[in-house]
Amino acid sequence: MRSCEVLIVGGGPAGSSAARLAGADVLVLDREQFPRLKLCAGWITPEVVRELQMDLETYPHRLLTFPRLRVHYGRLSVPVPCVQHSIRRFEFDAWLLERSGAPVEQHNVREIVADGTGFVIDGKYRCRYLIGAGGTRCPVYRTLFKEANPRAHELQIVTLEHEIEYRWQDPDCHLWFCDEGLPGYSWYVPKESGWLNVGIGGFAARIKSAGQDIKTHWAHFADKLGAQLTRGAHYDPSGYSYYLRGRVEVVRRDNAFITGDAAGLASRDLGEGIGPAIRSGLRAAAAILDGHPYHLEDVTGMSIASIARSMLTRAARPFGAHGRRRAGAGGAAHGLRHDNQ
Ligand SMILES: Cc1cc2nc3c(=O)[nH]c(=O)nc-3n(C[C@H](O)[C@H](O)[C@H](O)COP(=O)(O)OP(=O)(O)OC[C@H]3O[C@@H](n4cnc5c(N)ncnc54)[C@H](O)[C@@H]3O)c2cc1C
């Protein structure tokens, strides 16, 4: 049996953030081989960049800084000058995990058994501390936290999305709220060097009770994109479901911790989950290393507040001083000044 002090189930942003701090004797188990596909628009806030101590200048993969969001509601279309970023999760998550320096094994965790002060995983791994960072279907959540923190059906989000190689022309991030009665929003998120993520997400229960179908919403959205922003693009979307922030009563049980989507921490307004995953992962590691109390009340804010903050900093400084922006549709760099925002 392989023994370690800290075992982390899941190598996404929550798991890799915990792994970076969790000390020398740590092991990450993930059922996937990295880099792995993760359905996500890949929008990250300046807060995430700061918390990860990311240097935008030297980040080795695709990263685009938006000069503007375009928010659409019915016939209303409002440009919102701000500073926000997009990455590709395929690259970003693998980079974070490698940067953590932690050993990673590919293993699909199924059985967790409490054993004295620690845990035995699938009869194969033994650890003193266990961090659940396995996303919505995390086995640590299922085994140790589900009863104390049942998921709120009304906070379940259903999504469809596709990330494609596409020579986009419009470098703004577009968000359409409540389009055609969708209880949620749809997005167009350009990535650096000719990649694009488009998708829709909404409250599963409200879609169902209105007799709607996410696929019908997708068909409408794809038609609209094809007519306006992405002529000639073909989509083959995939679905994923996760939970927005609800009451999370128990976040630690003895030496087991729950983080990220496993705890259901994504923001209530825009479903932003990367930041809360990182914050909770860092806190779990700090609780283990330094004995800090583990609490998650304040890891999820309103995403709109982050956008508002970046509007203010943007107003105070010209765009080039905030981030990295590459030419549209896969061209060369603009040559704008970069810094770490
Ligand atoms: C379509 C969509 C778009 C989104 N867009 C955004 C966005 O633009 N910005 C944003 O901030 N948030 C967004 N989110 C939310 C965001 O993706 C998640 O909140 C975030 O990935 C949570 O990170 P995590 O580390 O908790 O979990 P994950 O990133 O899901 O990582 C969990 C890891 O655990 C592994 N795992 C799962 N089960 C097991 C097992 N049994 N054994 C071993 N390993 C296992 C998985 O393979 C995975 O690597 C979006 C979500 C969706 C679905």
Side-chain angles (χ1 to χ4, degrees):
M1 184 149 356
R2 163 92 149 90
S3 289
C4 59
E5 184 76 357
V6 183
L7 190 140
I8 301 174
V9 178
S16 57
S17 300
R20 192 158 184 231
L21 280 195
D25 193 14
V26 60
L27 174 66
V28 178
L29 300 180
D30 200 294
R31 67 180 174 201
E32 306 277 349
Q33 179 89 42
F34 280 66
R36 55 96 173 90
L37 178 71
K38 166 71 184 101
L39 293 187
C40 180
W43 152 54
I44 58 169
T45 64
E47 286 81 2
V48 161
V49 170
R50 215 166 26 244
E51 282 153 0
L52 287 175
Q53 300 175 321
M54 267 175 87
D55 179 358
L56 297 183
E57 187 73 46
T58 57
Y59 176 68
H61 302 292
R62 291 170 184 83
L63 186 144
L64 187 76
T65 302
F66 304 126
R68 212 167 16 242
L69 298 179
R70 285 197 179 267
V71 176
H72 308 268
Y73 182 80
R75 287 165 183 269
L76 199 67
S77 176
V78 184
V80 180
C82 64
V83 184
Q84 300 286 321
H85 313 279
S86 73
I87 44 76
R88 295 196 65 217
R89 288 292 297 270
F90 183 76
E91 300 166 343
F92 181 72
D93 287 20
W95 177 77
L96 285 178
L97 192 53
E98 192 181 346
R99 190 182 72 151
S100 78
V104 182
E105 282 188 22
Q106 190 178 4
H107 178 84
N108 186 6
V109 172
R110 294 172 199 279
E111 188 191 53
I112 296 161
V113 178
D115 178 32
T117 54
F119 303 89
V120 173
I121 314 295
D122 294 329
K124 213 176 154 193
Y125 304 92
R126 183 190 295 282
C127 61
R128 179 154 177 232
Y129 295 100
L130 178 66
I131 299 182
T136 307
R137 292 178 198 88
C138 181
V140 179
Y141 169 76
R142 275 201 320 263
T143 313
L144 300 171
F145 291 91
K146 190 175 171 181
E147 219 167 285
N149 306 322
R151 297 223 160 111
H153 186 45
E154 66 277 11
L155 295 176
Q156 185 181 14
I157 296 297
V158 60
T159 63
L160 275 177
E161 67 128 67
H162 197 187
E163 186 152 306
I164 55 169
E165 237 181 319
Y166 181 76
R167 291 184 68 80
W168 46 263
Q169 300 300 316
D170 187 337
D172 294 349
C173 171
H174 290 254
L175 304 176
W176 292 266
F177 287 89
C178 306
D179 203 16
E180 295 283 311
L182 175 73
Y185 70 94
S186 20
W187 65 84
Y188 161 103
V189 179
K191 311 283 171 97
E192 191 188 13
S193 303
W195 282 81
L196 175 68
N197 187 293
V198 297
I200 63 177
F203 289 97
R206 283 160 61 183
I207 292 175
K208 195 171 169 202
S209 69
Q212 301 173 350
D213 179 354
I214 188 93
K215 289 189 181 142
T216 315
H217 279 292
W218 174 271
H220 163 77
F221 178 54
D223 284 351
K224 182 176 75 183
L225 281 178
Q228 293 176 5
L229 285 167
T230 65
R231 289 200 170 78
H234 296 289
Y235 302 110
D236 182 14
S238 303
Y240 189 78
S241 171
Y242 69 120
Y243 289 81
L244 302 187
R245 175 78 200 226
R247 282 173 61 188
V248 190
E249 303 280 354
V250 178
V251 295
R252 174 176 187 172
R253 280 188 65 191
D254 301 323
N255 284 342
F257 300 77
I258 194 86
T259 63
D261 273 6
L265 300 180
S267 70
R268 286 285 269 270
D269 54 350
L270 293 180
E272 176 211 342
I274 298 172
I278 289 163
R279 268 163 239 139
S280 56
L282 291 173
R283 280 193 194 177
I288 292 169
L289 270 193
D290 306 326
H292 289 171
Y294 185 58
H295 62 89
L296 300 178
E297 290 85 21
D298 54 344
V299 296
T300 311
M302 295 291 276
S303 302
I304 299 257
S306 163
I307 292 169
R309 276 192 296 276
S310 78
M311 283 173 74
L312 292 175
T313 39
R314 168 84 201 274
R317 284 191 282 163
F319 176 72
H322 293 286
R324 191 163 119 178
R325 185 184 176 197
R326 297 285 166 96
H334 265 197
L336 292 170
R337 224 185 92 216
H338 304 164
D339 75 3
N340 224 4
Q341 187 56 239

